[in-house]
Amino acid sequence: MTVLTSTVDPTASECVANREAMLGKLAEVDAEHAEAVAGGGEKYVARHHDRGKLLARERIELLLDPDSPFLELSPLAAWGSDYTVGGSLVTGVGIVEGVECVVIASDPTVRGGSTNPWTAQKTYRAADIAAQNRLPVINLVESGGADLPTQKEIFIPGGRIFRDLTRSSASRVPTIALVFGNSTAGGAYLPGMSDYVVMVKERAKVFLGGPPLVTMATGEESDDESLGGAEMHSRTSGLADYLAVDEQDAIRIGRSIVRRLNWRKQGPGPVTPYAEPRYDAEDLLGIVPTDLRTPFDPREVIARVVDGSDFDEFKPLYGPSLVTGWATLHGYPVGVLANAQGVLFSEESQKAAQFIQLANQVDTPLVFLHNTTGYMVGRDYEQGGIIKHGAMMINAVSNSRVPHLSVLMGASYGAGHYGMCGRAYDPRFLFAWPSAKSAVMGPQQLAGVLSIVARQSAAAAGREFDEAGDAAMREAVENQIEAESLPMFLSGRLYDDGIIDPRDTRTVLGMCLSVVHNGPISGAGGFGVFRM
Amino acid sequence: MIRKLLVANRGEIARRVFRSCRDAGIGTVAVFSDADADAVHSREADAAVRLPGSTPSETYLRPDLLLDAAAAAGADAVHPGYGFLSEDADFARGVEAAGLTWVGPPPSVIAAMGSKIEAKRLMADAGVPVLPELDPDAVTATDMPVLVKASAGGGGRGMRVVRALAELPGEVEAARAEAASAFGDPAVFCEPYLERGRHIEVQVLADAHGTVWAVGERECSIQRRHQKVVEETPSPLVDAPMREALFDAARAAARAIGYVGAGTVEFLAAEGGLDGSTLQAGLTADGSTLQAGLTRFFFLEANTRLQVEHPVTECVTGLDLVALQLRVAEGAPLVSGDASYSSRNHSQGHAIEARLYAEDPAHDWRPQSGMLHRFAVPGVDAEFAVPPAYGVRLDSGVEDGSVVGVQYDAMLAKIIAWAPTRQEAARRLATVLAGARIHGLVTNRDLLVRVLRHPAFLVGDTDTAFLDRHGPAALADPLAGKEIESLSALAAALADAAANRAAARAGGGLPSGWRNVASQPQVKRYGEMEVRYRIDRDGLHAEDHPDVTLVESAPQRVVLDVAGVRHRFEVAAYPGLVCVDSPLGPVSLEPVPRLPDPSAQLPAGSLLAPMPGTVVRVAVSPGDAVTEGQPLLWLEAMKMEHRIAAPSDGVVAELPVAPGQQVDVGAVLAVVDAGTA
């Protein structure tokens, strides 16, 4: 047991400035979250309510256990696109009758809840989380189907939505659809592929083709109810297993279904009781410098995230730019990898590769706390084998089979993003602090590289180099890369699962750890060939 | 010497007698009806004998079964308690005939006092002041108002106040019918009714050797429907000369009838003289009026048993009246040195008793039945006994989990405060009552507290019309007003949140109601109230309580800071009920399910039993067309028939009850489908 000692002075001017900057960014994130929560806006929300219907989040709140936590996923999907922030869908991990479930609710106030490319991406991500963590899926359905003008981006890849549902079922993880309204055409396969289907009387409408299409196809005259009403599906087609008298009733039935799943988590439970950190999470706002070129000690973060601020550091004297060590978080054992000085050298890479293997050896989940500018470049380092050492780390992280959780605290640049289990390396969850930035390299470096290349090209061609043009180019590129490396942009593209308040890090990781333990926790039996 | 005593009674009085028996080394035998199989009195005795059935007439009113029980259990004495057969001379004779010791006065005395008409005559002959008896047929307008009484009545039953002469014949007839059915004796008589009379009684103790003590007086003027609710000693009305006169009259009364044991002589006192001309005339003619200052008093009746309110006398005198009853029954003389108990000098302080009833004063005193989930009175110093020093005494027939039925008296417990002065006793009793944890049943607790805190009560202005004059509705107003109720609902919601977190199978260690994207508060409903709150890193945000912060919350305890003042709430949740107790006032809440099961909801047009009772008659059948207001069936509860009428025109869709069926409050009696009219 090694209790970390903190040297953070929250009253120091630097901390205060950092805190102010972080609070400013959080306010921006909050404003975007509010945008997502507002859905289709006042008018459509009012219209929806006037129809006696509940909003997506109202349905979710009723579905969840009272006073239980809910981790909304990808809330800023579609940020920076032409579509409404949130992607006309609410997804998240919540607790229903004591069972952690993935909840997917279409937001009918946004273009009738229709599926646009971002809606699809967000659905895929939720399905991945359900599959990787062995979580039952509850779909709260009321969607106008595909956004037809963008069908080219949805139709072909979107087939996986239904595939995922039945694969979940096949892997003995139940799926439930509560149908509150439209679920037609392709959308009909949401209930169609689910294990349990509840339909709301006089509201659910589930058919492959509506009356006009049927008329066009066969000349048959029909109506909504006979083609796809809840009563019909409950009494005649058998597609609905339960007929709900209203939305609340559908949710009540949905909860009772989950209660009867006899759900048992396959991973070990947390060790209780556990101690809260000794240091105030509030300090986390002041730890990350406003300029990411200034490093910070990740132990100050670890001391505010892990149980009892108790952290047994592994190999503390070797490769000190990467902190590795063991702790528990909400009672779950974890191995932590956290960047300390930004740069990953050969020593850090080898240390990480070893540490990851150790965690796999004893089935311990890993937490990656990112603040890296990447692997070191330069003659000495290349000659020292930085590529093969970095590759060892990436090999280890790629083939590790224990659950990984990634948090982007600050920089996450270059191959360092890969080695620290970036998005492409399938961490079970990946969240960003508002202070995070992620790109192939820093904006200035990138613009500078472009400038140098252009200057060399001009020199080679004997052209006169346009300094003014170069300066303008550098500024434009810098601005663009800066904008595209910010968390809101990345979150909008679903490169993370959400931007979190640093003070919530322990809660978010605690919830994720509980979630990952729905499946078995089992380390890798082997890795790729380590290049020595 | 008595070795083993059977108490032919139930509830708190059985427990009270057992306590004295234990102190005396006397074995105890309880009897219990089927409804009382789990009652605390039946478990407390050394032995207990079942009386099959549940109604009093099947059980506690069956002399044969009681004597069999005594024989079976080897009891050699019987204590009747109060009520039931306590004033039944035949039972007393039966006990003696069986060779057992009867703890009570001789059967002949019981018989003599059993007829109120006879008793008044005896007393008048002995020089005890009595109210003139009016011949119902000779009453004139100037005699009004009058009180019609059943000669064999008791406990307020069979009494009617008549203020208009025209109504008298009808009321007399009704009283006769009621008396005949209730007591088997149709005899009734009239007395002048004193609008602001005060009920003063004297506790007497007499042994078989000629010693008669007047132990002290009690005032029991706070009554509802002639049923005592608050009793105290000494009486704020009685001064030394009047006390002496009262005691003399009581002793004279006891001697006149050869009383033995503990008994009570009840008087009606009227402050500042009387103004009914008949009354004056009657008194003058009678010539036996005693006067004490300006206050006159008149013999009402003698109760040949232990009174419900005996603990107040025990507190101020230090006597154990049950122990003395037992000694007298064993033939022992009252110790002469104790004779001074007839003097005020030897009583200490002031004692007030409040009777806690499971009844709803706000709704016509409807008796309540059901599970008493919790019954605890913090601050009690002694149970069934005088506290060692000034303090609080509890005589209770119930405990946590007791089921209160409709068959018996709805009194749950008596709480007695004994203090140096009347004001202190009233304050202490009110506070203890307000802090009592009484969960699951509506009681008269709030009314008792309001009475004890009422300015008129505190100055001793306590006549028998007190409740009517000050308004039962106002007095029954909940101690916790709307604001406290709302705050208590918030506390209940937060306790529920803590309970939810503690019981969570997953994520229990995470912050309550945590959201990374907050969209709406947690919502909990209690009755008509909706609690909307959110807890985040800044603490509690309660929509209707912006000045409230959460200090701590646990499933059964919540501390809230309200504008800088901390308040503690004790929260107890039961199925369909949440009780929040705090020094601000007790609050009962009905949690409304978030997601109600539609199949559990009542169809429109359902008629529910307004109180527990028995269906006596059914006038319709399913399928009958009915019109609005048409009587469908009658429910008997507390000796009154309640008519259940159609709420609208329609058809009787369901009729799930039949005559003779016992129903609980809230039971569906009938469903009238208005749509098919």
Side-chain angles (χ1 to χ4, degrees), chain B residues 445-464:
Chain B
R445 177 249 300 271
D446 292 8
L447 172 120
L448 292 171
V449 174
R450 286 192 185 277
V451 167
L452 291 165
R453 289 176 177 165
H454 199 284
F457 179 86
L458 293 175
V459 297
D461 187 7
T462 54
D463 59 73
T464 52

Side-chain angles (χ1 to χ4, degrees), chain B residues 159-421:
Chain B
M159 277 202 239
R160 282 147 199 270
V161 177
V162 183
R163 292 191 168 79
L165 189 57
E167 290 170 8
L168 187 64
E171 291 292 327
V172 167
E173 262 327 293
R176 281 196 176 118
E178 193 175 328
S181 86
F183 313 113
D185 175 2
V188 301
F189 64 102
C190 295
E191 277 178 354
Y193 179 66
L194 277 63
E195 294 281 8
R196 299 198 61 166
R198 301 184 52 148
H199 179 111
I200 314 259
E201 61 188 28
V202 177
Q203 175 72 52
V204 296
L205 267 173
D207 63 19
H209 310 279
T211 302
V212 177
W213 295 347
V215 174
E217 89 280 4
R218 293 184 287 258
E219 174 158 0
C220 318
S221 297
I222 308 288
Q223 302 185 356
R224 62 120 178 113
R225 294 182 176 164
H226 311 292
Q227 168 88 64
K228 296 164 190 169
V229 177
V230 175
E231 301 111 327
E232 61 183 307
T233 189
S235 161
L237 178 70
V238 176
D239 56 12
M242 182 179 176
R243 179 165 299 115
E244 201 164 316
L246 276 167
F247 284 15
D248 284 348
R251 277 188 294 255
R255 287 215 168 86
I257 56 176
Y259 200 84
V260 177
T264 299
V265 186
E266 295 190 341
F267 298 95
L268 187 65
E271 207 173 347
L274 302 165
D275 44 23
S277 60
T278 308
L279 182 57
Q280 296 290 0
L283 292 169
T284 311
D286 189 78
S288 60
T289 311
L290 287 176
Q291 262 192 280
L294 275 174
T295 307
R296 301 153 188 256
F297 59 86
F298 312 95
F299 170 82
L300 273 182
E301 61 182 86
N303 291 318
T304 55
R305 54 172 161 86
L306 194 66
Q307 295 281 90
V308 176
E309 58 271 23
H310 75 276
V312 292
T313 301
E314 293 189 323
C315 284
V316 300
T317 61
L319 295 177
D320 181 333
L321 292 174
V322 172
L324 289 169
Q325 274 189 306
L326 297 173
R327 271 166 61 188
V328 168
E330 287 174 332
L334 292 167
V335 179
S336 57
D338 291 347
S340 55
Y341 278 111
S342 60
S343 157
R344 280 302 317 159
N345 303 335
H346 290 263
S347 87
Q348 188 192 351
H350 197 104
I352 307 177
E353 171 181 285
R355 296 194 193 181
L356 186 71
Y357 283 95
E359 66 184 14
D360 186 353
H363 292 94
D364 210 24
W365 310 97
R366 260 179 213 165
Q368 308 288 307
S369 65
M371 168 80 81
L372 183 65
H373 295 290
R374 181 133 170 75
F375 181 77
V377 187
V380 164
D381 300 296
E383 289 190 51
F384 304 106
V386 178
Y390 289 125
V392 176
R393 165 173 173 171
L394 172 68
D395 283 27
S396 161
V398 293
E399 58 183 356
D400 291 358
S402 287
V403 175
V404 176
V406 292
Q407 288 93 352
Y408 314 115
D409 187 73
M411 192 177 83
L412 300 176
K414 309 180 303 207
I415 301 162
I416 303 99
W418 174 38
T421 66

Side-chain angles (χ1 to χ4, degrees), chain B residues 450-529:
Chain B
R450 286 192 185 277
V451 167
L452 291 165
R453 289 176 177 165
H454 199 284
F457 179 86
L458 293 175
V459 297
D461 187 7
T462 54
D463 59 73
T464 52
F466 184 93
L467 294 184
D468 286 334
R469 185 163 57 255
H470 298 292
L475 290 169
D477 228 23
L479 293 174
K482 284 285 161 215
E483 191 56 31
I484 305 304
E485 201 182 25
S486 170
L487 204 57
S488 298
L490 174 61
L494 294 168
D496 182 51
N500 285 337
R501 301 315 300 135
R505 279 203 288 144
L510 301 173
S512 187
W514 179 84
R515 298 287 182 272
N516 55 334
V517 179
S519 64
Q520 55 209 291
Q522 297 282 328
V523 180
K524 293 195 161 90
R525 290 187 182 84
Y526 299 95
E528 302 294 308
M529 280 182 291

Side-chain angles (χ1 to χ4, degrees), chain A residues 385-449:
Chain A
I386 186 71
I387 294 174
K388 66 178 195 183
H389 293 134
M392 289 171 76
M393 180 172 172
I394 295 169
N395 176 346
V397 95
S398 301
N399 292 302
S400 165
R401 288 290 168 267
V402 294
H404 296 173
L405 305 175
S406 274
V407 178
L408 275 57
M409 306 183 294
S412 187
Y413 285 118
H417 176 70
Y418 302 160
M420 289 296 287
C421 200
R423 177 53 116 198
Y425 290 78
D426 285 340
R428 299 291 181 90
F429 292 93
L430 185 150
F431 293 96
W433 287 4
S435 46
K437 284 180 189 174
S438 190
V440 65
M441 62 185 80
Q444 288 158 327
Q445 290 82 355
L446 195 145
V449 169

Side-chain angles (χ1 to χ4, degrees), chain A residues 37 57-58 61-62 64 66-72 95 97 100 245 248-249 252 255 263 274 330 501 503-504 507-508 511, chain B residues 493 496-497 500-501 505-507 509-522 524 533 537 594-598:
Chain A
V37 169
R57 283 181 180 78
E58 289 170 341
E61 292 285 343
L62 279 176
L64 301 176
D67 305 298
S68 66
F70 180 62
L71 177 60
E72 194 172 320
I95 299 167
E97 292 288 350
E100 285 149 323
V245 300
Q248 280 81 358
D249 194 31
R252 183 186 66 82
R255 286 178 56 81
W263 191 250
Y274 48 82
H330 280 286
D501 187 319
R503 295 169 291 187
D504 282 339
T507 298
V508 170
M511 184 147 183
Chain B
D496 182 51
N500 285 337
R501 301 315 300 135
R505 279 203 288 144
L510 301 173
S512 187
W514 179 84
R515 298 287 182 272
N516 55 334
V517 179
S519 64
Q520 55 209 291
Q522 297 282 328
K524 293 195 161 90
Y533 66 94
R537 79 180 83 258
R594 222 165 42 131
L595 301 167
D597 182 348

Side-chain angles (χ1 to χ4, degrees), chain A residues 122-139:
Chain A
K122 192 162 166 175
T123 310
Y124 306 157
R125 177 60 193 150
D128 285 344
I129 287 172
Q132 290 164 8
N133 299 295
R134 213 176 151 270
L135 304 179
V137 176
I138 306 174
N139 266 293

Side-chain angles (χ1 to χ4, degrees), chain A residues 264-432:
Chain A
R264 283 176 295 272
K265 293 168 80 160
Q266 294 185 350
V271 175
T272 53
Y274 48 82
E276 288 298 306
R278 297 196 174 199
Y279 304 101
D280 192 349
E282 201 64 32
D283 302 340
L284 290 171
L285 296 181
I287 287 175
V288 184
T290 49
D291 185 347
L292 288 182
R293 283 175 302 190
T294 313
F296 62 89
D297 187 349
R299 294 173 193 83
E300 296 288 3
V301 176
I302 295 166
R304 287 162 180 81
V305 170
V306 303
D307 297 342
S309 304
D310 181 358
F311 182 65
D312 288 324
E313 195 166 339
F314 172 74
K315 238 172 172 149
L317 304 178
Y318 185 82
S321 184
L322 181 76
V323 174
T324 56
W326 310 106
T328 64
L329 208 163
H330 280 286
Y332 292 102
V334 288
V336 179
L337 296 94
N339 304 111
Q341 300 295 329
V343 187
L344 292 161
F345 299 92
S346 289
E347 291 85 346
E348 282 76 12
S349 305
Q350 294 179 88
K351 176 175 165 179
Q354 183 186 359
F355 187 71
I356 290 166
Q357 291 179 79
L358 293 175
N360 276 269
Q361 185 186 45
V362 294
D363 303 335
T364 300
L366 290 169
V367 173
F368 296 82
L369 301 176
H370 296 229
N371 184 27
T372 177
T373 51
Y375 293 98
M376 192 62 196
V377 294
R379 187 189 311 116
D380 288 351
Y381 304 102
E382 298 287 4
Q383 292 182 358
I386 186 71
I387 294 174
K388 66 178 195 183
H389 293 134
M392 289 171 76
M393 180 172 172
I394 295 169
N395 176 346
V397 95
S398 301
N399 292 302
S400 165
R401 288 290 168 267
V402 294
H404 296 173
L405 305 175
S406 274
V407 178
L408 275 57
M409 306 183 294
S412 187
Y413 285 118
H417 176 70
Y418 302 160
M420 289 296 287
C421 200
R423 177 53 116 198
Y425 290 78
D426 285 340
R428 299 291 181 90
F429 292 93
L430 185 150
F431 293 96

